[in-house]
Amino acid sequence: MSEKLWDGRFSEKTHHSVEAFTSSIAIDKRLFAHDIAGSVAHCRVLARAGVITDEEASTMIQGLGRIGREIERGRFEFDDSLEDIHMHIESRLVQEVGKVAQKLHTGRSRNDQVALDIRLYLREQTLAVIDALTRWRRVIVGFARTHLETVLPGYTHLQRAQPVLLAHHFMAYYEMFTRDSERFSDCLDRINVMPLGSAALAGTTYPIDRDYAASLLDFPKVSANSMDAVSDRDFVIEFLAAASICMMHFSRLSEELILWSSAEFGFIELADAFATGSSIMPQKKNPDVPELVRGKTGRVVGDLVALLTLMKSLPLTYNRDMQEDKAPLFDAVDTLRSCIDIYGQMLPRITVNQAVMTRAASKGFLNATDMADYLVARGLPFRKAHSVVGQAVGYALGKDRELHELTLAELRTFSEAIDEDLFQALEIEQVINRRKSAGGTSTDNVRSAMDRVEAELGQ
Ligand code: ARG
């Protein structure tokens, strides 16, 4: 068992089951590089304040560099008795450079140290998520581009409503993931705050220059209140909220791909490489990837709820409960990143059954609104037109035909305003291309939406 860095006032050794219970090293060891970066900056800050000499600082900084490489190479031994990554690195530094390392923790506490580490980690991960989302958004536009001519039913209440372009459908997802990316960028403002110098909770007696620490670690801001700085995890919660919303978008897309690949829809087929079989039913090809993404959404939402629940009753300032913040955070980061990655690979390999989609869009009176619009153009008030078309639909249903499959004579029994040119207005291309209102599904609109976002994305 290694000697504790805090056991001066204790007369009994920590029970081994307490060591195992309180240890977080298995989880927080992934913060090692951030912990080392924070300690290197802290050495410089202490030297500049005259608390340690430049020589002492550089001895420690070199030692920290060696420890970082040791951990990277998997040559570092972790041990529950040393609790967490901060204790591991500090006690290893004492072995590495001797007594001088006992000065490292001057003017610092694990409370501001862990807050710093999480911020450094989350800044890096948030930037990586934004990058991954940019790549993913490019994939969406690329996919939409290849489907500017593909028509499918648009749904409300999962009932066929009006025909839309498949490109328009996917550009809707583009908008969602763009908002996600913006949300993650917004998170960066609150992540990017430097807490060192808050020490345990009340600040420190040493004359350290916090702005210097911030500039060394590339933080635009320092925290304004030491008590808040050591007990704030809002930035983690915000990230998890953004992650949950982003996963919710992936989950909605997954739900659609799962439905669309069923025999009942038959709209798409996933590539064999992205589907799996059944151990008993030889005919099966299952959409496990979208299903798992949908399932993993529950995990990420759970991670958000875990953090909110963790924090909701904590008195100021740091409480050990907060050590439980890392597992949900890391889980959400890993889950989100893996979902973005797999979607980027899976989507371009989807086969679209255009004929099935178009057939679905031509059945079920998806042009009924257009017939009403036609009658409005001929002077009927919209409510009246709506009821005329409703009667025509009722009649057509009884004959097992579509509106455009009725004869002119049949149609005219519902309104004298109807002429031969109605049939043109009911054609699917017309139905789509007349929806020119900004943001609507007309081919021109969708093409210019794609041009615009491709320019934004710099393709
Ligand atoms: N392992 C701890 C955590 O992750 C570090 C801070 C511990 N601070 C303390 N006063 N025990 O929260």
Side-chain angles (χ1 to χ4, degrees):
M1 192 195 295
S2 11
E3 216 169 275
K4 298 265 183 294
L5 296 175
W6 43 252
D7 66 0
R9 61 101 73 207
F10 287 78
S11 55
E12 197 186 8
K13 283 212 180 320
T14 317
H15 195 287
H16 61 88
S17 51
V18 171
E19 282 188 344
F21 188 75
T22 55
S23 167
S24 58
I25 188 61
I27 290 168
D28 61 26
K29 63 179 171 198
R30 84 153 85 176
L31 295 175
F32 80 89
H34 312 94
D35 197 72
I36 287 174
S39 289
V40 167
H42 187 59
C43 286
R44 299 214 158 98
V45 169
L46 289 178
R48 183 180 271 208
V51 178
I52 60 174
T53 66
D54 286 343
E55 210 191 320
E56 287 172 329
S58 83
T59 307
M60 286 197 276
I61 290 170
Q62 282 164 25
L64 286 163
R66 288 195 293 277
I67 294 170
R69 288 190 288 280
E70 201 175 297
I71 301 178
E72 265 163 28
R73 294 194 190 117
R75 301 228 181 97
F76 191 95
E77 262 190 47
F78 293 102
D79 171 359
D80 273 350
S81 67
L82 283 171
E83 286 185 44
D84 55 26
I85 189 63
H86 326 296
M87 297 293 217
H88 273 82
I89 292 174
E90 195 184 324
S91 52
R92 181 77 190 86
L93 190 63
V94 177
Q95 291 168 0
E96 186 72 23
V97 301
K99 273 217 208 95
V100 57
Q102 290 173 345
K103 297 188 176 183
L104 174 64
H105 213 50
T106 317
R108 186 176 73 169
S109 153
R110 275 186 294 160
N111 300 349
D112 57 351
Q113 189 178 358
V114 72
L116 174 73
D117 291 5
I118 303 171
R119 286 174 182 278
L120 287 170
Y121 163 81
L122 199 50
R123 173 169 73 187
E124 172 193 288
Q125 292 301 317
T126 304
L127 289 168
V129 166
I130 294 170
D131 259 12
L133 281 175
T134 305
R135 287 193 295 277
W136 163 234
R137 284 156 61 218
R138 283 206 179 99
V139 170
I140 297 177
V141 191
F143 186 78
R145 269 275 179 231
T146 57
H147 291 289
L148 192 57
E149 247 118 70
T150 310
V151 176
L152 81 163
Y155 295 82
T156 63
H157 313 266
L158 199 57
Q159 307 289 319
R160 290 180 196 171
Q162 291 174 345
V164 291
L165 296 177
L166 184 56
H168 194 52
H169 193 111
F170 271 88
M171 289 305 285
Y173 281 101
Y174 177 89
E175 291 298 321
M176 297 176 225
F177 290 110
T178 301
R179 288 197 296 277
D180 289 327
S181 179
E182 289 166 4
R183 259 185 287 275
F184 285 114
S185 299
D186 293 346
C187 285
L188 280 174
D189 282 349
R190 255 96 47 205
I191 293 171
N192 245 332
V193 179
M194 206 290 302
L196 276 192
S198 307
L201 76 160
T204 171
T205 54
Y206 298 94
I208 61 168
D209 180 348
R210 300 189 64 216
D211 291 322
Y212 178 53
S215 76
L216 289 174
L217 294 164
D218 212 14
F219 281 100
K221 257 196 229 160
V222 298
S223 53
N225 179 297
S226 60
M227 297 180 76
D228 178 45
V230 294
S231 66
D232 168 26
R233 293 294 181 271
D234 293 5
F235 62 101
V236 176
I237 294 173
E238 272 187 61
F239 174 90
L240 292 174
S244 298
I245 297 173
C246 184
M247 286 297 296
M248 177 270 284
H249 293 147
F250 274 115
S251 190
R252 295 184 74 176
L253 176 55
S254 298
E255 174 73 8
E256 296 201 311
L257 298 186
I258 294 161
L259 284 173
W260 289 1
S261 40
S262 69
E264 283 68 15
F265 274 83
F267 284 4
I268 58 163
E269 189 171 346
L270 300 178
D272 280 0
F274 288 89
T276 51
S278 156
S279 55
I280 175 169
M281 298 167 282
Q283 86 283 11
K284 291 291 294 269
K285 176 171 166 184
N286 295 327
D288 298 42
V289 172
E291 286 176 297
L292 276 168
V293 171
R294 188 177 57 183
K296 285 171 191 286
T297 303
R299 277 176 65 159
V300 176
V301 173
D303 293 330
L304 167 64
V305 174
L307 248 285
L308 285 167
T309 318
L310 176 70
M311 296 302 295
K312 77 179 236 314
S313 312
L314 294 186
L316 295 186
T317 56
Y318 179 84
N319 299 271
R320 191 63 179 265
D321 315 43
M322 289 163 75
Q323 180 167 290
E324 293 293 318
D325 60 356
K326 284 168 230 45
L329 173 61
F330 296 163
D331 180 64
V333 166
D334 293 347
T335 306
L336 175 64
R337 290 190 62 180
S338 69
C339 291
I340 303 175
D341 284 353
I342 196 121
Y343 251 97
Q345 298 170 61
M346 180 178 68
L347 187 74
R349 302 218 31 217
I350 287 177
T351 308
V352 172
N353 300 327
Q354 293 191 12
V356 179
M357 280 190 176
T358 312
R359 211 176 316 129
S362 326
K363 276 215 163 304
F365 308 99
L366 284 83
N367 48 9
T369 317
D370 294 77
M371 179 164 160
D373 290 343
Y374 172 93
L375 292 169
V376 168
R378 270 152 196 75
L380 272 73
F382 183 76
R383 272 293 149 239
K384 174 71 186 152
H386 185 287
S387 123
V388 166
V389 179
Q391 287 163 31
V393 167
Y395 173 83
L397 271 171
K399 303 259 169 207
D400 199 19
R401 281 188 277 161
E402 289 292 315
L403 289 171
H404 51 273
E405 289 166 352
L406 299 178
T407 65
L408 183 58
E410 284 173 307
L411 285 163
R412 282 179 66 87
T413 62
F414 300 101
S415 168
E416 303 252 299
I418 296 173
D419 281 317
E420 189 67 39
D421 59 350
L422 170 66
F423 292 102
Q424 236 192 339
L426 295 183
E427 277 170 20
I428 209 159
E429 293 76 27
Q430 285 271 335
V431 171
I432 286 189
N433 287 327
R434 288 178 55 233
R435 287 190 160 64
K436 288 187 201 307
S437 58
T441 192
S442 78
T443 311
D444 286 347
N445 273 359
V446 177
R447 190 184 293 112
S448 48
M450 293 187 304
D451 290 347
R452 180 168 36 79
V453 305
E454 275 179 356
E456 268 164 34
L457 287 168
Q459 266 181 346

